[in-house]
Amino acid sequence: MADSDRHLLLSRIRDVPDWPEPGVVFKDITPLLRDPAAFRTVTELLAGIGGEQVDVVVGIEARGFILGAPVAHRLGAGFVPIRKQGKLPWETSTASYQLEYGEATIEVHRDAFTPGERVLIVDDVLATGGTVRATVDLVRGSGADVVGVGVLMELGFLNGRDKLADVRVEALLTL
Ligand SMILES: O=P(O)(O)OC[C@H]1O[C@H](OP(=O)(O)OP(=O)(O)O)[C@H](O)[C@@H]1O
Ligand SMILES: Nc1ncnc2[nH]cnc12
């Protein structure tokens, strides 16, 4: 990434100390989304991680939807939402995991993928890696192939990659 792009993105991510609980420094991307140049830059760079052979982009609720959908559009791919428990209307596959601040369960529709489809997973933050690990397992469990994971930022000190040795993970920024 160009230095100018890196500086632009870093300048649009706001640290919010002690949110949602004491001891967590929350990385707020709303200033980045609000800035057309920064938003477009992130979308283009994440699409570049996928390359040309992506059939489906998976976005993880909620911030992964905001980044994943424009990436899918740009790649000419479909979009599949991975949602928090209880939000999807049809039959689902489910996975649970720990977060930096709590615990969560995610779901995907059982017919979301065709076996052999090439999937790019998109999210805003890789922290402890639990969310992406659960997502990779859901996608693979349906018979699709994960070609990579693209995140806007990785919180390196939380060692999320330790859970993801079997998948290609690209972060635009490492903090
Ligand atoms: O690597 P991990 O430790 O699993 O954490 C990363 C996840 O945490 C945040 O989502 P959150 O569950 O807070 O949901 P939100 O996007 O709805 O705020 C973030 O958007 C990632 O999805
Ligand atoms: N510190 C953090 N900021 C924003 N999103 C997160 N997801 C997990 N940890 C996070």
Side-chain angles (χ1 to χ4, degrees):
M1 186 193 326
D3 272 357
S4 56
D5 286 342
R6 184 181 308 279
H7 286 126
L8 172 65
L9 301 189
L10 286 170
S11 73
R12 298 293 185 269
I13 297 169
R14 173 166 53 197
D15 280 1
V16 183
D18 298 322
W19 201 92
E21 60 184 40
V24 174
V25 179
F26 191 82
K27 300 293 181 181
D28 176 18
I29 64 165
T30 60
L32 183 153
L33 300 172
R34 178 66 181 79
D35 179 331
F39 192 18
R40 187 178 59 246
T41 298
V42 166
T43 304
E44 288 174 356
L45 291 171
L46 288 174
I49 291 170
E52 289 173 8
Q53 296 188 3
V54 173
D55 301 307
V56 181
V57 174
V58 163
I60 307 172
E61 187 172 0
R63 285 167 271 153
F65 291 174
I66 301 169
L67 300 181
V71 170
H73 183 70
R74 190 169 181 86
L75 290 174
F79 179 80
V80 166
I82 297 268
R83 298 213 63 179
K84 303 281 165 60
Q85 191 170 34
K87 302 283 189 180
L88 287 170
W90 198 62
E91 295 171 20
T92 58
S93 302
T94 297
S96 297
Y97 56 95
Q98 299 292 321
L99 274 168
E100 191 184 2
Y101 36 76
E103 198 178 277
T105 299
I106 52 172
E107 297 184 327
V108 67
H109 274 152
R110 291 171 68 107
D111 64 352
F113 306 104
T114 301
E117 277 188 315
R118 297 168 59 87
V119 174
L120 174 70
I121 296 168
V122 170
D123 207 354
D124 63 331
V125 177
L126 175 67
T128 66
T131 307
V132 167
R133 178 72 258 166
T135 301
V136 168
D137 292 344
L138 282 178
V139 173
R140 287 184 176 159
S142 73
D145 294 334
V146 177
V147 299
V149 176
V151 295
L152 165 57
M153 78 190 102
E154 172 180 3
L155 306 183
F157 58 95
L158 291 172
N159 301 314
R161 277 178 195 264
D162 291 355
K163 295 193 180 80
L164 300 168
D166 58 339
V167 60
R168 181 171 72 97
V169 179
E170 306 253 358
L172 303 184
L173 302 169
T174 300
L175 306 179

PDB file of all heavy atoms in Angstrom, residues 26 60-64 84 97-101 104 123-132 158, ligand 1:
ATOM      1  N   PHE A  26     -11.230   0.525  21.712  1.00  0.00           N
ATOM      2  CA  PHE A  26     -12.061   0.197  20.556  1.00  0.00           C
ATOM      3  C   PHE A  26     -11.600   0.989  19.339  1.00  0.00           C
ATOM      4  O   PHE A  26     -11.385   2.209  19.409  1.00  0.00           O
ATOM      5  CB  PHE A  26     -13.522   0.520  20.857  1.00  0.00           C
ATOM      6  CG  PHE A  26     -14.465  -0.032  19.819  1.00  0.00           C
ATOM      7  CD1 PHE A  26     -14.868  -1.354  19.862  1.00  0.00           C
ATOM      8  CD2 PHE A  26     -14.934   0.779  18.798  1.00  0.00           C
ATOM      9  CE1 PHE A  26     -15.730  -1.872  18.895  1.00  0.00           C
ATOM     10  CE2 PHE A  26     -15.796   0.277  17.828  1.00  0.00           C
ATOM     11  CZ  PHE A  26     -16.193  -1.054  17.886  1.00  0.00           C
ATOM     12  N   ILE A  60     -19.024 -10.356   7.675  1.00  0.00           N
ATOM     13  CA  ILE A  60     -19.402 -10.748   9.030  1.00  0.00           C
ATOM     14  C   ILE A  60     -20.084  -9.569   9.723  1.00  0.00           C
ATOM     15  O   ILE A  60     -19.538  -8.465   9.782  1.00  0.00           O
ATOM     16  CB  ILE A  60     -18.158 -11.187   9.823  1.00  0.00           C
ATOM     17  CG1 ILE A  60     -17.376 -12.267   9.051  1.00  0.00           C
ATOM     18  CG2 ILE A  60     -18.568 -11.676  11.200  1.00  0.00           C
ATOM     19  CD1 ILE A  60     -16.033 -12.619   9.663  1.00  0.00           C
ATOM     20  N   GLU A  61     -21.287  -9.832  10.258  1.00  0.00           N
ATOM     21  CA  GLU A  61     -22.064  -8.793  10.944  1.00  0.00           C
ATOM     22  C   GLU A  61     -21.249  -8.139  12.062  1.00  0.00           C
ATOM     23  O   GLU A  61     -20.600  -8.853  12.815  1.00  0.00           O
ATOM     24  CB  GLU A  61     -23.342  -9.411  11.530  1.00  0.00           C
ATOM     25  CG  GLU A  61     -24.285  -8.376  12.115  1.00  0.00           C
ATOM     26  CD  GLU A  61     -25.637  -8.984  12.528  1.00  0.00           C
ATOM     27  OE1 GLU A  61     -25.833 -10.210  12.359  1.00  0.00           O
ATOM     28  OE2 GLU A  61     -26.458  -8.218  12.999  1.00  0.00           O
ATOM     29  N   ALA A  62     -21.352  -6.865  12.220  1.00  0.00           N
ATOM     30  CA  ALA A  62     -22.056  -5.926  11.390  1.00  0.00           C
ATOM     31  C   ALA A  62     -21.106  -5.135  10.485  1.00  0.00           C
ATOM     32  O   ALA A  62     -21.435  -4.795   9.360  1.00  0.00           O
ATOM     33  CB  ALA A  62     -22.803  -4.926  12.268  1.00  0.00           C
ATOM     34  N   ARG A  63     -19.911  -4.867  11.005  1.00  0.00           N
ATOM     35  CA  ARG A  63     -19.029  -3.991  10.225  1.00  0.00           C
ATOM     36  C   ARG A  63     -18.504  -4.685   8.978  1.00  0.00           C
ATOM     37  O   ARG A  63     -18.151  -4.029   7.992  1.00  0.00           O
ATOM     38  CB  ARG A  63     -17.896  -3.482  11.122  1.00  0.00           C
ATOM     39  CG  ARG A  63     -18.372  -2.415  12.090  1.00  0.00           C
ATOM     40  CD  ARG A  63     -17.363  -2.124  13.165  1.00  0.00           C
ATOM     41  NE  ARG A  63     -17.535  -2.976  14.321  1.00  0.00           N
ATOM     42  CZ  ARG A  63     -16.572  -3.325  15.156  1.00  0.00           C
ATOM     43  NH1 ARG A  63     -15.356  -2.888  14.945  1.00  0.00           N
ATOM     44  NH2 ARG A  63     -16.822  -4.084  16.186  1.00  0.00           N
ATOM     45  N   GLY A  64     -18.480  -6.007   8.993  1.00  0.00           N
ATOM     46  CA  GLY A  64     -18.061  -6.744   7.801  1.00  0.00           C
ATOM     47  C   GLY A  64     -19.048  -6.608   6.654  1.00  0.00           C
ATOM     48  O   GLY A  64     -18.686  -6.787   5.493  1.00  0.00           O
ATOM     49  N   LYS A  84     -25.183 -12.675  13.438  1.00  0.00           N
ATOM     50  CA  LYS A  84     -25.269 -13.081  14.838  1.00  0.00           C
ATOM     51  C   LYS A  84     -26.509 -13.973  15.012  1.00  0.00           C
ATOM     52  O   LYS A  84     -27.480 -13.874  14.247  1.00  0.00           O
ATOM     53  CB  LYS A  84     -25.352 -11.843  15.741  1.00  0.00           C
ATOM     54  CG  LYS A  84     -24.173 -10.868  15.567  1.00  0.00           C
ATOM     55  CD  LYS A  84     -22.929 -11.326  16.308  1.00  0.00           C
ATOM     56  CE  LYS A  84     -21.677 -10.571  15.851  1.00  0.00           C
ATOM     57  NZ  LYS A  84     -21.695  -9.134  16.028  1.00  0.00           N
ATOM     58  N   TYR A  97     -17.894 -18.760  19.602  1.00  0.00           N
ATOM     59  CA  TYR A  97     -16.474 -18.403  19.828  1.00  0.00           C
ATOM     60  C   TYR A  97     -16.378 -17.300  20.871  1.00  0.00           C
ATOM     61  O   TYR A  97     -17.372 -16.645  21.197  1.00  0.00           O
ATOM     62  CB  TYR A  97     -15.838 -17.934  18.502  1.00  0.00           C
ATOM     63  CG  TYR A  97     -16.567 -16.785  17.871  1.00  0.00           C
ATOM     64  CD1 TYR A  97     -16.159 -15.471  18.090  1.00  0.00           C
ATOM     65  CD2 TYR A  97     -17.701 -16.998  17.102  1.00  0.00           C
ATOM     66  CE1 TYR A  97     -16.852 -14.419  17.542  1.00  0.00           C
ATOM     67  CE2 TYR A  97     -18.402 -15.949  16.552  1.00  0.00           C
ATOM     68  CZ  TYR A  97     -17.964 -14.660  16.778  1.00  0.00           C
ATOM     69  OH  TYR A  97     -18.668 -13.622  16.247  1.00  0.00           O
ATOM     70  N   GLN A  98     -15.147 -17.071  21.363  1.00  0.00           N
ATOM     71  CA  GLN A  98     -14.871 -15.991  22.319  1.00  0.00           C
ATOM     72  C   GLN A  98     -14.459 -14.730  21.558  1.00  0.00           C
ATOM     73  O   GLN A  98     -13.812 -14.826  20.515  1.00  0.00           O
ATOM     74  CB  GLN A  98     -13.704 -16.384  23.235  1.00  0.00           C
ATOM     75  CG  GLN A  98     -13.954 -17.626  24.063  1.00  0.00           C
ATOM     76  CD  GLN A  98     -15.026 -17.406  25.105  1.00  0.00           C
ATOM     77  OE1 GLN A  98     -15.100 -16.352  25.718  1.00  0.00           O
ATOM     78  NE2 GLN A  98     -15.882 -18.403  25.291  1.00  0.00           N
ATOM     79  N   LEU A  99     -14.821 -13.575  22.107  1.00  0.00           N
ATOM     80  CA  LEU A  99     -14.382 -12.292  21.558  1.00  0.00           C
ATOM     81  C   LEU A  99     -13.423 -11.614  22.539  1.00  0.00           C
ATOM     82  O   LEU A  99     -13.290 -12.058  23.680  1.00  0.00           O
ATOM     83  CB  LEU A  99     -15.579 -11.354  21.404  1.00  0.00           C
ATOM     84  CG  LEU A  99     -16.414 -11.434  20.137  1.00  0.00           C
ATOM     85  CD1 LEU A  99     -17.684 -10.631  20.340  1.00  0.00           C
ATOM     86  CD2 LEU A  99     -15.635 -10.869  18.951  1.00  0.00           C
ATOM     87  N   GLU A 100     -12.781 -10.507  22.083  1.00  0.00           N
ATOM     88  CA  GLU A 100     -11.971  -9.701  23.003  1.00  0.00           C
ATOM     89  C   GLU A 100     -12.847  -9.240  24.166  1.00  0.00           C
ATOM     90  O   GLU A 100     -12.390  -9.100  25.284  1.00  0.00           O
ATOM     91  CB  GLU A 100     -11.397  -8.488  22.257  1.00  0.00           C
ATOM     92  CG  GLU A 100     -10.336  -7.748  23.034  1.00  0.00           C
ATOM     93  CD  GLU A 100      -9.846  -6.496  22.318  1.00  0.00           C
ATOM     94  OE1 GLU A 100     -10.340  -6.175  21.233  1.00  0.00           O
ATOM     95  OE2 GLU A 100      -8.976  -5.821  22.900  1.00  0.00           O
ATOM     96  N   TYR A 101     -14.137  -9.003  23.898  1.00  0.00           N
ATOM     97  CA  TYR A 101     -15.073  -8.549  24.921  1.00  0.00           C
ATOM     98  C   TYR A 101     -16.319  -9.423  24.898  1.00  0.00           C
ATOM     99  O   TYR A 101     -17.352  -9.025  24.407  1.00  0.00           O
ATOM    100  CB  TYR A 101     -15.453  -7.079  24.707  1.00  0.00           C
ATOM    101  CG  TYR A 101     -15.568  -6.667  23.263  1.00  0.00           C
ATOM    102  CD1 TYR A 101     -16.680  -7.016  22.493  1.00  0.00           C
ATOM    103  CD2 TYR A 101     -14.557  -5.948  22.650  1.00  0.00           C
ATOM    104  CE1 TYR A 101     -16.790  -6.662  21.171  1.00  0.00           C
ATOM    105  CE2 TYR A 101     -14.652  -5.581  21.313  1.00  0.00           C
ATOM    106  CZ  TYR A 101     -15.771  -5.937  20.593  1.00  0.00           C
ATOM    107  OH  TYR A 101     -15.866  -5.586  19.274  1.00  0.00           O
ATOM    108  N   ALA A 104     -19.789 -14.914  21.375  1.00  0.00           N
ATOM    109  CA  ALA A 104     -20.786 -14.716  20.324  1.00  0.00           C
ATOM    110  C   ALA A 104     -21.052 -16.025  19.591  1.00  0.00           C
ATOM    111  O   ALA A 104     -20.230 -16.947  19.613  1.00  0.00           O
ATOM    112  CB  ALA A 104     -20.311 -13.659  19.333  1.00  0.00           C
ATOM    113  N   ASP A 123     -13.733  -8.613   6.810  1.00  0.00           N
ATOM    114  CA  ASP A 123     -14.170  -8.011   8.073  1.00  0.00           C
ATOM    115  C   ASP A 123     -13.337  -6.760   8.325  1.00  0.00           C
ATOM    116  O   ASP A 123     -12.357  -6.506   7.624  1.00  0.00           O
ATOM    117  CB  ASP A 123     -14.044  -9.012   9.222  1.00  0.00           C
ATOM    118  CG  ASP A 123     -15.032  -8.733  10.359  1.00  0.00           C
ATOM    119  OD1 ASP A 123     -15.741  -7.701  10.309  1.00  0.00           O
ATOM    120  OD2 ASP A 123     -15.093  -9.533  11.294  1.00  0.00           O
ATOM    121  N   ASP A 124     -13.738  -5.996   9.341  1.00  0.00           N
ATOM    122  CA  ASP A 124     -12.973  -4.782   9.616  1.00  0.00           C
ATOM    123  C   ASP A 124     -11.761  -5.061  10.498  1.00  0.00           C
ATOM    124  O   ASP A 124     -10.672  -4.568  10.229  1.00  0.00           O
ATOM    125  CB  ASP A 124     -13.857  -3.683  10.239  1.00  0.00           C
ATOM    126  CG  ASP A 124     -14.420  -4.063  11.588  1.00  0.00           C
ATOM    127  OD1 ASP A 124     -14.636  -5.271  11.843  1.00  0.00           O
ATOM    128  OD2 ASP A 124     -14.654  -3.151  12.410  1.00  0.00           O
ATOM    129  N   VAL A 125     -11.962  -5.873  11.558  1.00  0.00           N
ATOM    130  CA  VAL A 125     -10.897  -6.062  12.551  1.00  0.00           C
ATOM    131  C   VAL A 125     -10.624  -7.550  12.754  1.00  0.00           C
ATOM    132  O   VAL A 125     -11.556  -8.331  12.959  1.00  0.00           O
ATOM    133  CB  VAL A 125     -11.313  -5.444  13.911  1.00  0.00           C
ATOM    134  CG1 VAL A 125     -10.249  -5.711  14.970  1.00  0.00           C
ATOM    135  CG2 VAL A 125     -11.553  -3.949  13.772  1.00  0.00           C
ATOM    136  N   LEU A 126      -9.346  -7.920  12.727  1.00  0.00           N
ATOM    137  CA  LEU A 126      -8.923  -9.227  13.234  1.00  0.00           C
ATOM    138  C   LEU A 126      -8.329  -8.974  14.611  1.00  0.00           C
ATOM    139  O   LEU A 126      -7.294  -8.296  14.722  1.00  0.00           O
ATOM    140  CB  LEU A 126      -7.880  -9.853  12.305  1.00  0.00           C
ATOM    141  CG  LEU A 126      -7.280 -11.178  12.794  1.00  0.00           C
ATOM    142  CD1 LEU A 126      -8.337 -12.279  12.809  1.00  0.00           C
ATOM    143  CD2 LEU A 126      -6.095 -11.598  11.924  1.00  0.00           C
ATOM    144  N   ALA A 127      -8.981  -9.468  15.643  1.00  0.00           N
ATOM    145  CA  ALA A 127      -8.501  -9.255  17.013  1.00  0.00           C
ATOM    146  C   ALA A 127      -7.986 -10.587  17.555  1.00  0.00           C
ATOM    147  O   ALA A 127      -6.885 -11.001  17.196  1.00  0.00           O
ATOM    148  CB  ALA A 127      -9.616  -8.649  17.856  1.00  0.00           C
ATOM    149  N   THR A 128      -8.777 -11.309  18.339  1.00  0.00           N
ATOM    150  CA  THR A 128      -8.313 -12.602  18.859  1.00  0.00           C
ATOM    151  C   THR A 128      -8.421 -13.710  17.809  1.00  0.00           C
ATOM    152  O   THR A 128      -7.923 -14.809  18.026  1.00  0.00           O
ATOM    153  CB  THR A 128      -9.131 -13.026  20.086  1.00  0.00           C
ATOM    154  OG1 THR A 128     -10.479 -13.275  19.682  1.00  0.00           O
ATOM    155  CG2 THR A 128      -9.123 -11.945  21.159  1.00  0.00           C
ATOM    156  N   GLY A 129      -9.132 -13.430  16.717  1.00  0.00           N
ATOM    157  CA  GLY A 129      -9.236 -14.406  15.622  1.00  0.00           C
ATOM    158  C   GLY A 129     -10.421 -15.350  15.730  1.00  0.00           C
ATOM    159  O   GLY A 129     -10.681 -16.119  14.803  1.00  0.00           O
ATOM    160  N   GLY A 130     -11.167 -15.283  16.817  1.00  0.00           N
ATOM    161  CA  GLY A 130     -12.279 -16.209  17.004  1.00  0.00           C
ATOM    162  C   GLY A 130     -13.360 -16.067  15.946  1.00  0.00           C
ATOM    163  O   GLY A 130     -13.900 -17.073  15.458  1.00  0.00           O
ATOM    164  N   THR A 131     -13.661 -14.840  15.572  1.00  0.00           N
ATOM    165  CA  THR A 131     -14.720 -14.597  14.592  1.00  0.00           C
ATOM    166  C   THR A 131     -14.341 -15.166  13.231  1.00  0.00           C
ATOM    167  O   THR A 131     -15.141 -15.856  12.585  1.00  0.00           O
ATOM    168  CB  THR A 131     -14.985 -13.085  14.463  1.00  0.00           C
ATOM    169  OG1 THR A 131     -15.236 -12.539  15.753  1.00  0.00           O
ATOM    170  CG2 THR A 131     -16.152 -12.807  13.545  1.00  0.00           C
ATOM    171  N   VAL A 132     -13.132 -14.871  12.793  1.00  0.00           N
ATOM    172  CA  VAL A 132     -12.713 -15.370  11.477  1.00  0.00           C
ATOM    173  C   VAL A 132     -12.552 -16.889  11.509  1.00  0.00           C
ATOM    174  O   VAL A 132     -12.933 -17.585  10.560  1.00  0.00           O
ATOM    175  CB  VAL A 132     -11.413 -14.679  11.017  1.00  0.00           C
ATOM    176  CG1 VAL A 132     -10.809 -15.396   9.818  1.00  0.00           C
ATOM    177  CG2 VAL A 132     -11.697 -13.221  10.663  1.00  0.00           C
ATOM    178  N   LEU A 158      -2.978  -9.235  19.856  1.00  0.00           N
ATOM    179  CA  LEU A 158      -3.962 -10.241  20.284  1.00  0.00           C
ATOM    180  C   LEU A 158      -3.747 -11.595  19.593  1.00  0.00           C
ATOM    181  O   LEU A 158      -4.464 -12.565  19.870  1.00  0.00           O
ATOM    182  CB  LEU A 158      -5.389  -9.727  20.041  1.00  0.00           C
ATOM    183  CG  LEU A 158      -5.788  -8.568  20.960  1.00  0.00           C
ATOM    184  CD1 LEU A 158      -7.140  -7.981  20.537  1.00  0.00           C
ATOM    185  CD2 LEU A 158      -5.856  -9.017  22.422  1.00  0.00           C
TER     186      LEU A 158
HETATM  187  O1  LIG B   1     -10.969 -11.434  16.169  1.00  0.00           O
HETATM  188  P1  LIG B   1     -12.082 -11.377  17.165  1.00  0.00           P
HETATM  189  O2  LIG B   1     -11.584 -11.311  18.585  1.00  0.00           O
HETATM  190  O3  LIG B   1     -13.074 -12.467  16.978  1.00  0.00           O
HETATM  191  O4  LIG B   1     -12.846  -9.994  16.976  1.00  0.00           O
HETATM  192  C1  LIG B   1     -13.124  -9.388  15.746  1.00  0.00           C
HETATM  193  C2  LIG B   1     -14.583  -9.149  15.568  1.00  0.00           C
HETATM  194  O5  LIG B   1     -15.079  -8.275  16.600  1.00  0.00           O
HETATM  195  C3  LIG B   1     -15.826  -7.223  16.007  1.00  0.00           C
HETATM  196  O6  LIG B   1     -17.142  -7.564  15.822  1.00  0.00           O
HETATM  197  P2  LIG B   1     -18.258  -7.572  16.944  1.00  0.00           P
HETATM  198  O7  LIG B   1     -18.537  -8.990  17.326  1.00  0.00           O
HETATM  199  O8  LIG B   1     -17.873  -6.616  18.032  1.00  0.00           O
HETATM  200  O9  LIG B   1     -19.535  -7.102  16.153  1.00  0.00           O
HETATM  201  P3  LIG B   1     -20.037  -5.752  15.440  1.00  0.00           P
HETATM  202  O10 LIG B   1     -19.340  -5.659  14.105  1.00  0.00           O
HETATM  203  O11 LIG B   1     -21.496  -6.026  15.295  1.00  0.00           O
HETATM  204  O12 LIG B   1     -19.713  -4.592  16.334  1.00  0.00           O
HETATM  205  C4  LIG B   1     -15.150  -7.044  14.656  1.00  0.00           C
HETATM  206  O13 LIG B   1     -15.998  -6.372  13.742  1.00  0.00           O
HETATM  207  C5  LIG B   1     -14.847  -8.459  14.249  1.00  0.00           C
HETATM  208  O14 LIG B   1     -15.963  -9.076  13.593  1.00  0.00           O
END
